Amino acid sequence: MARPRKPLLSRERIVCTALALIDAEGLPALSTRRLAAELGVSGPSLYNHFTTKDEILDAVADTVIAKVDVSAFETGTDWRAGLLDWARSYRAALAAHPHIVPFLAQGPGRRPAGLKMADAAFGGMVEAGWPPAQATRVCAMVRYFVAGSALGSFARGFVDDPSAYDPADYPHLGQAHLLAEHQRQVDEGAFETGLRALVDGLALQFPARPTKG
């Protein structure tokens, strides 16, 4: 039997193509018509695998979140190390696909990978001794911090033209034109500084365990 000329359509191929399209052109570029064209198929054939565009977006988002490592919480690591590992892995996953971040920021909904991540982080914090209400706030805070960090670049927000920073107007921005050149160093350094400050601050609030008499 001759092999099919085109790769067979599958959920995985649809999701990978949708993610590549979003990465390249942003969320507004994704439509079922455009996605079908990228796949070289007719639009209705997508509905054999996904009922709606939102279902495709959910699958794309869950594919990204599935890359986040929450194993530190599962192995009983100290909660500080658990938060650090989780936040770093979380940011890396989102920073690789920044255009999907606004959709992810809406929350996990019913997405399995998103719910598993939330369950692992919340469960790890509670098991470490944090009261559930505080654990919820801590996990929410990390999510806000990571999403904001992954959404854009602080360094790229400054143009590399020295004439844009007239010392008469901006006496403290004489080196601002160099920021974009060192984007990764600046952005990752800022994230690490903030993350460390966040965890150190939480350590001061960690509830003391009752001592045994």
Side-chain angles (χ1 to χ4, degrees):
M1 181 180 294
R3 295 182 180 178
R5 293 181 179 180
K6 294 181 180 179
L8 294 175
L9 195 60
S10 65
R11 286 179 64 92
E12 182 180 3
R13 184 171 170 236
I14 292 170
V15 169
C16 288
T17 303
L19 181 56
L21 179 58
I22 293 169
D23 284 344
E25 301 182 31
L27 276 170
L30 182 67
S31 67
T32 53
R33 178 178 295 181
R34 175 69 187 280
L35 182 56
E38 292 289 325
L39 289 162
V41 301
S42 63
S45 62
L46 297 178
Y47 298 115
N48 293 324
H49 301 275
F50 294 97
T51 305
T52 64
K53 172 186 167 182
D54 284 343
E55 280 191 12
I56 297 173
L57 273 172
D58 275 334
V60 170
D62 229 28
T63 295
V64 173
I65 291 300
K67 298 175 183 177
V68 179
D69 183 6
V70 291
S71 61
F73 290 115
E74 297 166 1
T75 56
T77 302
D78 175 79
W79 68 266
R80 298 167 187 81
L83 276 185
L84 290 170
D85 287 353
W86 171 44
R88 288 167 182 154
S89 179
Y90 195 1
R91 180 182 183 271
L94 268 58
H97 308 284
H99 290 155
I100 196 67
V101 174
F103 184 79
L104 284 168
Q106 299 173 22
R110 297 176 180 271
R111 297 191 294 272
L115 291 172
K116 287 179 181 178
M117 182 181 75
D119 182 73
F122 174 76
M125 295 299 284
V126 171
E127 289 177 10
W130 286 89
Q134 286 182 272
T136 298
R137 289 192 286 269
V138 170
C139 291
M141 179 172 57
V142 171
R143 182 181 142 204
Y144 300 152
F145 179 63
V146 169
S149 175
L151 191 57
S153 166
F154 173 83
R156 276 206 310 265
F158 292 84
V159 299
D160 60 3
D161 180 3
S163 67
Y165 309 102
D166 189 329
D169 297 321
Y170 315 109
H172 305 295
L173 297 182
Q175 301 296 308
H177 65 286
L178 301 175
L179 288 172
E181 181 182 346
H182 302 283
Q183 176 210 330
R184 182 172 180 178
Q185 180 181 356
V186 172
D187 291 346
E188 291 186 359
F191 175 76
E192 281 296 320
T193 298
L195 180 60
R196 287 285 183 178
L198 185 154
V199 173
D200 288 347
L202 288 173
L204 298 176
Q205 302 178 39
F206 185 61
R209 293 179 180 273
T211 57
K212 295 181 180 180

